[in-house]
């Protein structure tokens, strides 16, 4: 029997809020709480009500918004809530047309070229998906295009898994203050927000997702992705969420040098530390780009195979690994996977804080860019303080080793003729 579309109680409350008097609405909360689904549903309702209206769904990266919404959430919403609705696609303009001539545009705000293609139009609705990944300047620019004249009241909608309280979305929607000046908003009632958590969406989640997947996260991850809590930036932390978010990009430019940092685990097993495996590169622009986090909890042959795969994938110049505990065995294990691996041993002679501070300074200067989002790595970074610095943040250690080597003077990459 075909399943009928039934909104959860939380989604019904969200619909009332989205159609209320506030022009700007943010839905925030835990992972898979139904936020994106109900926002896409609400946009389709608006598009069907006003023929010829235009609606933008934006995220940091254009390819991510297409994969997550255009090819995943949107088809699910149409199948459940609007069966038989005919949609046509323009692959050139990255838009979807409804039978009444309304349009859904999908775009990224990470580069001027991509953003200009979207922001040359005017919209009745702008939806910022995963707004915790976006900078406030990019959002402010996009909002100038919320100007299409239709029968609809123009609205801007936002969703996110809450970031730190230093993020502009917290200041704007929770504190109702201007994120730049810190002053109270002149029209605070124009801004509304609502918490949605996965427990309220249980009927639409796979078995074990709440009890096993989310409950198994670290405490700070669980607070954010299960309970939808806004986190305080830890006192003394070398990194903040805002510091990382403001320099995130979709793609790296041409790179002069690429290094894979490895922080091997001493033991293997479900209770062991992970082996940190982080790939980063240095561009001709003097900036640094974190390309991948392949960290894992595996036996030596397993994590060594991952290092080999990353080395081949990125055509890396060097693998650098901490050998304080494994000694020559670390190099032996790696070379068993790739005999010609350009390898360098490093030993931790200084404390973790002293090693990490020069890297954190580059982040403060806006010279380090994450190419995409690395949730577990970024959680370690924003949780790392002098008080926690004696632990074993494996992914962070791998990042610091890779960055430390990249910061050394080096000649450009040699590419054979």
């Amino acid at each position: 029997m075909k399943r009928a579309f039934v909104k959860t109680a939380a989604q019904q409350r969200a619909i009332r809020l989205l159609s209320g008097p506030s022009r700007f609405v943010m839905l925030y909360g835990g992972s898979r709480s139904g936020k994106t689904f109900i926002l896409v549903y609400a946009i389709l309702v608006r598009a069907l009500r006003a023929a010829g209206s235009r609606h933008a769904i934006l995220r940091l990266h254009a390819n991510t918004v297409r994969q997550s919404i255009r090819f995943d959430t949107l088809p699910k919403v149409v199948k459940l809530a609007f069966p038989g609705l005919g949609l046509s696609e323009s692959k050139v303009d990255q838009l979807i047309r409804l039978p009444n001539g309304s349009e859904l545009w999908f775009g990224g705000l990470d580069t001027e070229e991509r953003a200009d293609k979207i922001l040359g139009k005017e919209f009745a609705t702008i939806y910022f998906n995963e707004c915790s990944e976006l900078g406030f300047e990019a959002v402010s620019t996009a909002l100038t295009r919320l100007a299409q004249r239709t029968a609809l009241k123009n609205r801007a909608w936002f969703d996110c898994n809450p970031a730190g309280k230093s993020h502009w979305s917290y200041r704007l929607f929770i504190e109702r203050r201007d994120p730049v000046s810190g002053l109270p908003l002149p029209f605070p009632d124009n801004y509304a927000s609502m918490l949605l958590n996965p427990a309220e969406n249980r009927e639409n989640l796979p078995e074990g997702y709440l009890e096993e997947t989310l409950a198994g996260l670290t405490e700070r991850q669980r607070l954010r992705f299960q309970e939808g809590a806004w986190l305080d930036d830890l006192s003394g932390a070398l990194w903040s969420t805002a510091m990382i978010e403001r320099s995130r990009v979709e793609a790296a430019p041409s790179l002069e040098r690429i290094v894979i940092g490895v922080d091997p685990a001493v033991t293997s097993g479900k209770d062991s530390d992970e082996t940190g495996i982080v790939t980063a590169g240095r561009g001709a622009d003097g900036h640094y780009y974190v390309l991948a986090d392949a960290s894992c909890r595996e036996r030596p042959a397993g994590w060594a195979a991952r290092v080999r795969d990353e080395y081949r994938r990125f055509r890396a110049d060097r693998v650098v690994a901490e050998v304080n505990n494994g000694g020559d065995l670390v190099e032996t294990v790696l070379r068993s996977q790739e005999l010609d691996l350009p390898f360098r041993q490093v030993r931790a002679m200084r404390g973790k804080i002293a090693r990490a501070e020069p890297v954190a300074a580059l982040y403060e200067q806006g010279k380090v860019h994450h190419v995409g989002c690395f949730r577990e790595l970024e959680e370690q970074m924003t949780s790392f303080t002098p008080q926690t610095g004696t632990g074993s943040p494996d992914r962070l250690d791998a990042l610091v080793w890779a960055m430390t080597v990249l910061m050394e003077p080096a000649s450009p990459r040699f590419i054979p003729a």
Side-chain angles (χ1 to χ4, degrees), residues 255-277:
L255 299 175
E256 294 180 333
R257 196 177 187 206
I258 296 176
V259 172
I260 300 174
V262 183
D263 179 43
V266 179
T267 59
S268 61
K270 65 178 183 178
D271 297 324
S272 303
D273 292 329
E274 289 184 306
T275 290
I277 306 170

Side-chain angles (χ1 to χ4, degrees), residues 142-342:
L143 286 175
T144 64
R145 310 315 299 163
L146 192 64
Q148 187 184 19
R149 297 189 66 178
T150 69
L152 302 170
K153 177 180 180 179
N154 290 345
R155 297 180 184 271
W157 293 337
F158 305 72
D159 76 357
C160 70
N161 299 124
K165 291 182 180 179
S166 62
H167 197 266
W168 62 263
S169 56
Y170 180 84
R171 297 198 295 272
L172 184 64
F173 283 97
I174 307 302
E175 295 183 335
R176 295 189 181 184
R177 292 181 176 275
D178 183 285
V180 177
S181 69
L183 296 174
L185 295 174
F187 304 104
D189 292 341
N190 235 347
Y191 296 81
S193 62
M194 176 182 166
L195 170 67
L196 288 85
N197 273 335
E200 300 171 290
N201 195 38
R202 178 184 290 272
E203 60 203 76
N204 297 314
L205 298 178
E207 184 178 352
Y209 183 75
L210 292 172
E211 294 80 5
E212 298 172 12
T213 303
L214 293 184
L217 298 174
T218 66
E219 182 179 1
R220 283 179 65 85
Q221 288 177 330
R222 186 182 56 75
L223 286 170
R224 181 182 179 190
F225 294 103
Q226 184 174 20
E227 299 184 15
W230 296 89
L231 303 178
D232 290 307
D233 288 329
L234 293 180
S235 177
L238 296 184
W239 287 271
S240 69
T241 300
M243 185 190 301
I244 298 169
E245 296 290 359
R246 70 185 179 215
S247 297
R248 200 184 301 277
V249 298
E250 179 182 10
S254 176
L255 299 175
E256 294 180 333
R257 196 177 187 206
I258 296 176
V259 172
I260 300 174
V262 183
D263 179 43
V266 179
T267 59
S268 61
K270 65 178 183 178
D271 297 324
S272 303
D273 292 329
E274 289 184 306
T275 290
I277 306 170
V278 174
T279 304
R282 185 181 64 208
D285 57 2
H287 286 220
Y288 301 83
Y289 297 85
V290 180
L291 305 172
D293 176 10
S295 305
C296 60
R297 184 174 284 106
E298 293 188 15
R299 295 180 180 277
W303 60 253
R306 287 211 180 192
V307 174
R308 175 203 63 204
D309 292 344
E310 294 297 277
Y311 168 69
R312 294 175 178 175
R313 173 188 173 194
F314 290 102
R315 298 177 61 203
D317 297 279
R318 183 164 298 279
V319 173
V320 55
E322 182 177 323
V323 296
N324 283 46
N325 295 307
D328 293 337
L329 180 61
V330 173
E331 182 174 359
T332 300
V333 171
L334 286 169
R335 292 203 183 282
S336 70
Q337 299 290 333
E338 180 74 47
L339 290 175
D340 296 328
L341 192 78

